[in-house]
Each structure stands twice: as C-alpha cells, then as structure tokens.
Amino acid sequence: MQQKSILTAAIATALLSLSQSPYAAYISSFEINHDLETTEGSFENPDRAQAIYWGKGKILSITSENITATAKKNAIWVTTESIVNIQGSKLLFSAGSSTSEQTDISTLSIQDGSTLNVTGTDITVEALSNGTQAVNAIKADLGGPNKAVTIKVGSRDTNSINIIASGNNKSYALLNFGSLVELEAKDIKITSSGHGVGNNATNTKLALPSNTKINGENITIEAEGFGLTNNESQMLIEAESLTINSGMGIHVGNNTQDENPSSADRAHTVINASSTTIN
C-alpha cells in the first residue's frame, strides 16, 4: 500500500509539473471547436508546419507578457473568417530557419476574410530560409472566396516593429493581396532579401485592391529589390523620417493586364514624411 501511494504521488507531481509548464507546443482549431482565451506565452514548435492554426470562424485571444511562436511554415495561419487577437510586450513570430529549404513560408499568413490584431511593445516577425526559397514575413491573402482580410500590427504605444524576410530575391517582407494591412510603431524597420512592401504585387488582376498603411516616427525599408510596389491599390506611409534603401527603388503602376485603367483602378501612393531619403 505504501509503494502504491508513493507511485500515485509521483505521477500526480509529474502531471502537476506539466500543467504548470509555460510552454505550449501549438494551437489548432482542428482540435478546438470553440472560441479560446489563453495566457500561454510560448508556442515554439519548429518541427510543425504551423505553431498556431486557427479557423472555423472562431475567436482566439492570447495575452502574455512575452510571446514566441515558431514553426516550419507559418508561425500563425488564420483562415475561414476567423479572428486572432494577440497582446503582450515582447513578441517574436518566426518561420523557417537559416538552413531551411522549406517552400511556401509565410510567418503571419491570414486569408479568407480573417483578422489578425497584434499589439505589443516590441514586435519581430521573421521569415527565414537558406536563400533558395521565396519567403514572406507577413501575407494577407483573399483566398478562394475573394474575401478581404485585416492585419493590424502595433499601435501608438508600440516602440518597435522589425520585419525580416531572408530568402531568395522573390521574397517579400509584407505582401498584401486585396486586403487591409496596418503597421504602427515609433520605429519600424523592414528588411528583405527580395522586395519590401508589395501591394497587389502580381501580374494577375485581383478581385479587390489592397490598402496598406504604415505609420511611425522612424521608418526604414531595406530591400535588394523594390522597396515599395503598389499596383492598382492604396498605400499610405506617414513618418517623421523615412529611409528607403533598395536595389530597384519604388514601383507604382497598374496591373499589366490593364493598359489603360480607370481612375478608380489606378494606384494611389501617398508619402507624408518630414524627411525622406530614397537610395
């Protein structure tokens, strides 16, 4: 009887230790069929395709001081008109690695009418490969239903947003297809081995225009390709200081299928900055 009691106590202690662990391998709406609120802070699982997969029209809310989500393809993938709200202080979202040859890496991938809201003090989003693959750090996609998504990263209280796309020359730090993407922080840095910000950056005419807004005191975009690309869409950049260092400058135009687009279909790019440097 004494041995059984000791064994039972040992198992109970082990289960208690696991339940108190600050780590969570992943969240998947395949396994959860209801709205969810959690204070878990770590979703580190580099061997899974997604660290957080959310769909079915449900709401996921994550609140923690420090939040880290890592995976092979998508740190966060939100689909089917679902909502994910993330609030913390220091946030890191990462997909791939510097040795990865994984295809279709998009660290924050939001599609099919879904919404992602991310607020924190310091926010980093990185997409990594060994240079053989195109990667996207942030991707907003209409998906099959042609329903616009909403991605909002940062707020007036955010100190820094750092977005990194390190892959081949077709990579994008931010790629917006027919949706609304907003970035806001005191300091915003966008770095890409390919292109910086792409608004409807495709030769195929999309069902909806894109709307990208970037607001910060100091905004720096460093890209080997285009710093900004805006096709038949809306782009607004507001900053005290804007610096764009890119190999190909800025591209603003219409879809190649429309040789003479109407005024409503033309690209509108507005830069409001006290100081602007474009190299």
Side-chain angles (χ1 to χ4, degrees):
M1 177 66 68
Q2 184 178 9
Q3 290 180 342
K4 182 178 180 180
S5 298
I6 293 173
L7 179 60
T8 302
I11 293 174
T13 301
L15 291 174
L16 180 61
S17 176
L18 286 173
S19 68
Q20 292 177 337
S21 170
Y23 300 101
Y26 65 95
I27 290 179
S28 174
S29 59
F30 284 122
E31 302 171 9
I32 302 171
N33 195 27
H34 54 78
D35 294 345
L36 176 66
E37 296 183 5
T38 180
T39 57
E40 291 284 357
S42 183
F43 305 92
E44 299 174 77
N45 201 325
D47 295 326
R48 288 186 63 88
Q50 291 87 30
I52 298 171
Y53 174 86
W54 198 251
K56 299 181 179 179
K58 304 301 181 182
I59 301 174
L60 171 63
S61 299
I62 301 173
T63 304
S64 184
E65 183 70 15
N66 298 314
I67 298 173
T68 300
T70 60
K72 288 196 300 183
K73 292 181 64 174
N74 316 108
I76 301 176
W77 185 11
V78 190
T79 186
T80 57
E81 299 182 66
S82 304
I83 300 173
V84 172
N85 299 312
I86 297 178
Q87 182 176 3
S89 180
K90 188 174 182 179
L91 313 181
L92 170 62
F93 307 103
S94 181
S97 71
S98 59
T99 60
S100 173
E101 295 185 1
Q102 174 69 51
T103 59
D104 300 324
I105 290 176
S106 293
T107 306
L108 303 182
S109 181
I110 318 302
Q111 62 184 31
D112 300 341
S114 297
T115 298
L116 173 67
N117 298 308
V118 178
T119 56
T121 304
D122 297 288
I123 303 168
T124 298
V125 184
E126 59 181 18
L128 309 173
S129 86
N130 64 358
T132 62
Q133 306 296 326
V135 300
N136 306 305
I138 299 176
K139 183 179 180 180
D141 197 353
L142 294 170
N146 283 330
K147 294 182 178 179
V149 310
T150 298
I151 300 175
K152 296 185 178 181
V153 178
S155 69
R156 66 180 62 183
D157 298 320
T158 299
N159 287 333
S160 68
I161 295 174
N162 192 15
I163 302 173
I164 303 163
S166 181
N168 65 21
N169 60 8
K170 295 182 180 179
S171 300
Y172 278 90
L174 191 163
L175 187 56
N176 185 357
F177 288 143
S179 298
L180 172 64
V181 178
E182 296 183 356
L183 307 179
E184 184 175 9
K186 179 180 178 181
D187 296 313
I188 298 175
K189 185 173 183 180
I190 296 171
T191 308
S192 177
S193 61
H195 310 294
V197 179
N199 246 11
N200 278 15
T202 174
N203 290 334
T204 303
K205 185 174 178 61
L206 299 179
L208 296 172
S210 300
N211 189 352
T212 297
K213 302 177 181 180
I214 304 176
N215 188 340
E217 291 185 19
N218 304 298
I219 299 175
T220 301
I221 300 173
E222 297 183 354
E224 294 297 320
F226 288 112
L228 303 174
T229 300
N230 188 23
N231 288 335
E232 298 183 358
S233 295
Q234 312 296 314
M235 182 179 291
L236 172 63
I237 298 178
E238 295 183 301
E240 292 295 322
S241 173
L242 171 65
T243 301
I244 301 177
N245 297 315
S246 64
M248 301 172 70
I250 298 175
H251 170 77
V252 178
N254 59 288
N255 185 278
T256 56
Q257 295 178 351
D258 294 332
E259 296 182 359
N260 187 24
S262 65
S263 177
D265 289 332
R266 294 183 186 274
H268 296 272
T269 303
V270 178
I271 296 176
N272 292 328
S274 300
S275 172
T276 302
T277 302
I278 300 177
N279 298 313

